[in-house]
Amino acid sequence: MMKDGFGREIDYLRISVTDKCNLRCRYCMPKQGVEVLPHEEVLTLEEIFRVVRIMESLGVKKIRFTGGEPLVRKNLVKLIGDVNGLAGISDIAMTTNGLLLEGHIDALKQAGLKRVNISLDTLEPSVFEQITGYDGLARVLAAVDAALDRGMQVKINCVPCRELNDGGIEELAGLAREKAVDVRFIELMPIGCGKNFHGISSEEILERLERQNGAAKKELPTGQSETAQYYAFDGFQGRIGFISPMSHKFCGECNRVRLTVDGQLKLCLHYDNGLALKPLLRQGAEDDEIRERIAAAVKEKPRAHSFSDKTAQEHEEQRKMVQIGG
Ligand code: SAM
Ligand code: SF4
C-alpha cells in the first residue's frame, strides 16, 4: 500500500497515452491545436506498461486511460490487455470523446475494459459542432449505445459552461432517464483554455433539474474514494452525478496520481511537480530503484488544489487540459 505525506492511500493511476486529439473542445484546447510532443518524447506502450507493473506492486489497483483522445493512440487495445493481465489491477476504465469508440468497442471489451466515461456536453448537433469544432454528435451517441449494448458501464461527463451549453443541460440530463447511463456534471476548472469560460456550479444545476424533475434523492457515500456525489430522480434509469472541484473540494480523499504522455508522474492536477520517469526508464534504472523513487515522490503530493486563489502560485500547471488528460 502506498501512502502520501498526508496518509492518503494512493491506489489510482490515470494515464495519458497521447497528447493528440481529434476534437477541439473550446474549454480544453486552442482552435489551432497545441504543439504535440516529438515522437521520441512520448512514452512507448512498453514503457507505460512497465510503470503500471511497478505501480501495481506498490498497491495501485485502478487504472484509467485518457489523453488527449486515448483512442487515437495505436495499439492501445494491446496495452489494455496487458494491464488487464496484472493480478493486482481490479479496475480498468477509459475517458474518451467517443468519436472512435464504436469501431473499437468489441476489441476493447475483449481486452478487459469494463467501464467507459464518454465526454458529451450537449445533445444539440449544432452546439456540439460549436463546442468541439466537428459535426460528430451522431457518432458519439452511437458509441454510447454500442457500449451499453456490450454490457459496459457507461458514464456521460459534461462540463457546463455559461457561454457554450447552458441552454441544453436539462436535455442532456434526460439521457439518464432514457438510458441506463449516469450523467455527471463536472465544474469547469481554471486550467488552460478553461480560464476563458465561466463554469456553472453543481448547486445551480441540481436546483434546475429538481425544478424540472421533482426532488432528487441524495445517495449516501459508498466509503470508496468517489469524487462524484450522485442523486436519483424518480423515473430515471441512471443517476445524476456532480463532480464539484470548485465548490466542494474533494482533495482530502484524493487517491490518485497521473502519468503524463512524456512520462512525468504528476501528483496533483493543479501543480506541475512530480517525478520525471522517462530518464529512469531510458537510462537503465532497475525496477527496485524506480519503485523507491515513485514511493518517495508520492510522499510529496500536495495537500490540495487552490484553484480559487487567483494569485500566481509556485509550480502552477501551465499545460492545457488536453496535455494532462483531466
Ligand atoms: N479526450 C478525452 C475526453 O474528452 O473524454 C479525454 C481527455 S479530456 C481532457 C478529459 C475530460 O476533461 C473531458 O471530460 C473534458 O470535458 C474534461 N475537461 C477538459 N477541460 C476541462 C476543464 N478546464 N475543467 C473541467 N474539465 C475539463
Ligand atoms: Fe479533446 Fe477531450 Fe479536450 Fe475535447 S476534452 S479537446 S475531446 S482532449
Side-chain angles (χ1 to χ4, degrees):
M1 188 199 293
M2 186 164 47
K3 285 201 174 178
D4 74 3
F6 300 97
R8 293 172 294 194
E9 190 183 333
I10 306 302
D11 62 2
Y12 179 15
L13 176 66
R14 295 172 70 104
I15 303 173
S16 172
V17 292
T18 179
D19 55 353
K20 295 183 184 149
C21 189
N22 46 3
L23 290 183
R24 294 284 177 274
C25 302
R26 291 177 53 193
Y27 52 77
C28 177
M29 193 163 175
K31 219 183 209 140
Q32 69 279 16
V34 291
E35 204 172 316
V36 294
L37 288 166
H39 184 253
E40 61 278 11
E41 296 299 323
V42 173
L43 288 195
T44 65
L45 296 179
E46 291 73 24
E47 287 168 336
I48 295 174
F49 180 65
R50 185 170 174 215
V51 174
V52 176
R53 192 170 46 69
I54 293 171
M55 292 193 70
E56 178 223 19
S57 73
L58 283 163
V60 163
K61 302 185 188 82
K62 182 173 165 184
I63 300 290
R64 175 173 297 278
F65 293 99
T66 177
E69 171 48 41
L71 291 172
V72 305
R73 177 89 195 233
K74 279 206 192 84
N75 297 324
L76 179 65
V77 169
K78 157 96 171 66
L79 174 64
I80 292 176
D82 290 347
V83 170
N84 191 42
L86 295 172
I89 302 296
S90 54
D91 185 35
I92 304 179
M94 177 187 289
T95 300
T96 169
N97 62 32
L99 268 192
L100 300 173
L101 183 60
E102 196 181 4
H104 289 95
I105 196 84
D106 290 315
L108 287 166
K109 178 151 192 218
Q110 219 172 358
L113 188 73
K114 296 184 180 65
R115 308 192 297 111
V116 53
N117 289 1
I118 300 178
S119 303
L120 178 60
D121 294 321
T122 178
L123 291 179
E124 184 54 55
S126 61
V127 177
F128 184 95
E129 188 169 353
Q130 278 161 29
I131 296 174
T132 66
Y134 185 75
D135 176 13
L137 177 63
R139 266 166 72 185
V140 178
L141 291 175
V144 171
D145 288 338
L148 285 173
D149 185 52
R150 305 313 191 279
M152 280 194 185
Q153 187 197 93
V154 179
K155 292 178 182 168
I156 304 292
N157 285 342
C158 165
V159 179
C161 282
R162 202 61 86 192
E163 298 87 345
L164 300 175
N165 56 351
D166 192 355
I169 295 298
E170 286 84 350
E171 189 189 11
L172 187 74
L175 262 190
R177 190 189 308 109
E178 271 112 58
K179 299 178 195 288
V181 298
D182 291 341
V183 174
R184 311 192 309 168
F185 295 98
I186 305 175
E187 286 179 345
L188 180 77
M189 289 175 274
I191 294 184
C193 304
K195 290 182 180 153
N196 306 331
F197 295 94
H198 295 89
I200 306 176
S201 72
S202 300
E203 196 185 349
E204 175 182 327
I205 290 172
L206 177 61
E207 218 176 273
R208 283 164 56 173
L209 295 182
E210 288 197 311
R211 219 176 298 141
Q212 189 190 41
N213 302 294
K217 210 182 280 159
K218 188 173 176 176
E219 204 169 83
L220 294 172
T222 57
Q224 289 156 353
S225 185
E226 173 61 84
T227 49
Q229 172 66 59
Y230 286 100
Y231 290 82
F233 281 96
D234 274 348
F236 278 48
Q237 301 182 54
R239 303 171 297 174
I240 297 294
F242 295 97
I243 300 178
S244 316
M246 303 306 292
S247 62
H248 291 92
K249 267 190 190 180
F250 38 76
C251 303
E253 277 130 54
C254 187
N255 62 341
R256 63 194 61 185
V257 288
R258 293 171 166 80
L259 180 64
T260 64
V261 71
D262 58 348
Q264 186 200 30
L265 186 75
K266 182 172 160 59
L267 304 171
C268 170
L269 199 52
H270 192 185
Y271 299 102
D272 67 4
N273 5 17
L275 171 66
L277 284 166
K278 195 168 48 191
L280 293 171
L281 294 165
R282 294 190 179 172
Q283 288 162 21
E286 300 286 338
D287 283 4
D288 280 346
E289 182 188 348
I290 297 178
R291 191 174 295 114
E292 275 165 33
R293 295 286 300 273
I294 290 175
V298 160
K299 291 271 180 244
E300 303 301 315
K301 183 172 161 68
R303 181 193 285 274
H305 74 69
S306 44
F307 286 130
S308 49
D309 183 347
K310 298 276 186 288
T311 55
Q313 295 168 64
E314 208 185 342
H315 285 299
E316 197 167 1
E317 184 57 82
Q318 300 301 327
R319 284 171 286 192
K320 308 275 184 284
M321 201 62 131
V322 63
Q323 297 164 309
I324 307 169

